[in-house]
Amino acid sequence: MFHIIRDLLRFNREFAIGVAFLGLIVVYSLLSFVSPIDPDIQFMEFPDLPPSGEYWFGTNSRGQDLFWQLTFAFRNTLGFGIMVAAFSRVISITVGLVSGYVGGAVDRVLMVINDVFVTLPLLPVLLVFFFVLGDSLNTINLALLMACLGWPFDARLIRSITLGLRHREFTRHAMFSGMSPLKIMFEEHLPYVMPVVFATAMANMLWAIGVEVTLAVLGFTNINLATVGTTIYWANNHSAMIVGVWWWIVIPVVLVVMLFIGLYLLAVSLNEYIDPRSRLRRMGG
């Protein structure tokens, strides 16, 4: 793993830029653990102060230091994206390996279920759950719900790889040696699909964070929890751009765009690394 990261940093400029952007946001979010403020307390500072040496990102109309407030917002947003990516990887890996290795009726049934989830309209489904569950739709429940909606494309990709692995010589040797199908799938085949899993995890995080920010800006999540989306929601609620408190919207938008660019570049770079021809071309082969 370390030599892969070393090669990507050395030969892939997009990967290095993505690591820099994502690393900056991660380090910034980790500052929340040493924050001198409570993100839930309002009017601890004078409201609507512009960025300065004392308040690097200024203060908002709720009397909160925006620099420290955004550390909690990005920590919660990143944590949400990681939860969705982790939960959906479990589903996509399981479905993809089982469908590709077992085949037959099991494969057909799983792919029918897969196609059903592909055709589900994401935003209307999430809005229905929001209105049904109300306050019960917390961060973990929303992450589980989005993970249940975000696995089908990746499961089909893993299935296609497993279909090829099923007819390889090492798979036949494992079968003849008495290994169970479960051990073959998760000990022999899983290492071959892990590069795809990591690449799709970056894309899945990007998708999950984008959806969460969209829902939060519209007010369809817990607006009292500090996230990037709820920060923009409260800025719009206080008409920040109209009254001249531009930093309340511009700064979180710039930072979240950096996060999106970082995740996108990492996903593209990892996808390119999976393709041997692209990898050799990068390295001058």
Side-chain angles (χ1 to χ4, degrees):
M1 178 61 68
F2 291 107
H3 75 274
I4 293 175
I5 296 175
R6 181 199 62 199
D7 290 342
L8 284 169
L9 289 172
R10 181 180 177 186
F11 296 106
N12 195 313
R13 184 181 302 173
E14 289 82 2
F15 182 82
I17 296 173
V19 168
F21 279 5
L22 183 60
L24 181 64
I25 298 300
V26 169
V27 170
Y28 176 62
S29 66
L30 291 177
L31 292 177
S32 60
F33 292 103
V34 295
S35 172
I37 70 165
D38 185 334
D40 298 324
I41 299 179
Q42 302 178 30
F43 300 104
M44 293 290 292
E45 311 290 345
F46 288 106
D48 300 337
L49 295 177
S52 63
E54 184 177 2
Y55 303 106
W56 289 3
F57 291 173
T59 62
N60 58 29
S61 299
R62 293 154 63 88
Q64 297 167 318
D65 188 331
L66 198 57
F67 177 87
W68 293 110
Q69 186 72 16
L70 283 175
T71 61
F72 291 96
F74 275 94
R75 187 184 77 182
N76 292 331
T77 296
L78 281 172
F80 176 82
I82 292 171
M83 279 193 292
V84 174
F87 293 150
S88 63
R89 293 316 85 194
V90 173
I91 301 174
S92 61
I93 289 172
T94 303
V95 172
L97 290 177
V98 172
S99 180
Y101 180 78
V102 177
V106 174
D107 180 32
R108 291 192 292 272
V109 171
L110 288 176
M111 286 302 99
V112 168
I113 297 173
N114 183 287
D115 293 339
V116 169
F117 277 90
V118 167
T119 58
L120 287 177
L122 177 65
L123 190 57
V125 170
L126 291 175
L127 292 181
V128 167
F129 274 93
F130 172 78
F131 288 117
V132 171
L133 297 178
D135 295 336
S136 300
L137 190 62
N138 55 30
T139 301
I140 296 177
N141 291 338
L142 181 60
L144 288 172
L145 176 59
M146 289 188 61
C148 291
L149 298 173
W151 61 268
F153 291 103
D154 303 332
R156 186 171 286 277
L157 181 59
I158 293 171
R159 169 185 174 270
S160 66
I161 298 173
T162 309
L163 284 172
L165 295 174
R166 185 174 61 178
H167 302 290
R168 298 278 290 272
E169 195 67 29
F170 74 91
T171 302
R172 294 194 182 96
H173 289 165
M175 293 172 59
F176 293 148
S177 68
M179 289 184 68
S180 65
L182 193 64
K183 291 191 70 175
I184 292 174
M185 284 185 285
F186 289 95
E187 291 186 12
E188 299 294 331
H189 291 176
L190 182 58
Y192 285 88
V193 304
M194 285 309 294
V196 175
V197 170
F198 285 122
T200 55
M202 295 295 105
N204 198 254
M205 278 187 63
L206 180 61
W207 167 79
I209 292 174
V211 173
E212 190 277 332
V213 169
T214 301
L215 291 174
V217 169
L218 296 175
F220 293 124
T221 60
N222 180 7
I223 59 175
N224 295 315
L225 177 67
T227 66
V228 178
T230 56
T231 300
I232 300 174
Y233 168 84
W234 285 114
N236 287 327
N237 194 58
H238 286 267
S239 304
M241 294 299 289
I242 296 176
V243 300
V245 191
W246 54 266
W247 52 89
W248 195 359
I249 290 183
V250 171
I251 292 176
V253 167
V254 169
L255 291 176
V256 81
V257 167
M258 289 177 58
L259 174 60
F260 285 164
I261 292 174
L263 289 172
Y264 171 76
L265 291 177
L266 288 179
V268 170
S269 302
L270 289 173
N271 278 325
E272 186 180 78
Y273 188 85
I274 294 170
D275 181 8
R277 290 173 298 181
S278 299
R279 185 165 68 249
L280 288 174
R281 187 166 57 249
R282 281 278 185 179
M283 297 179 180

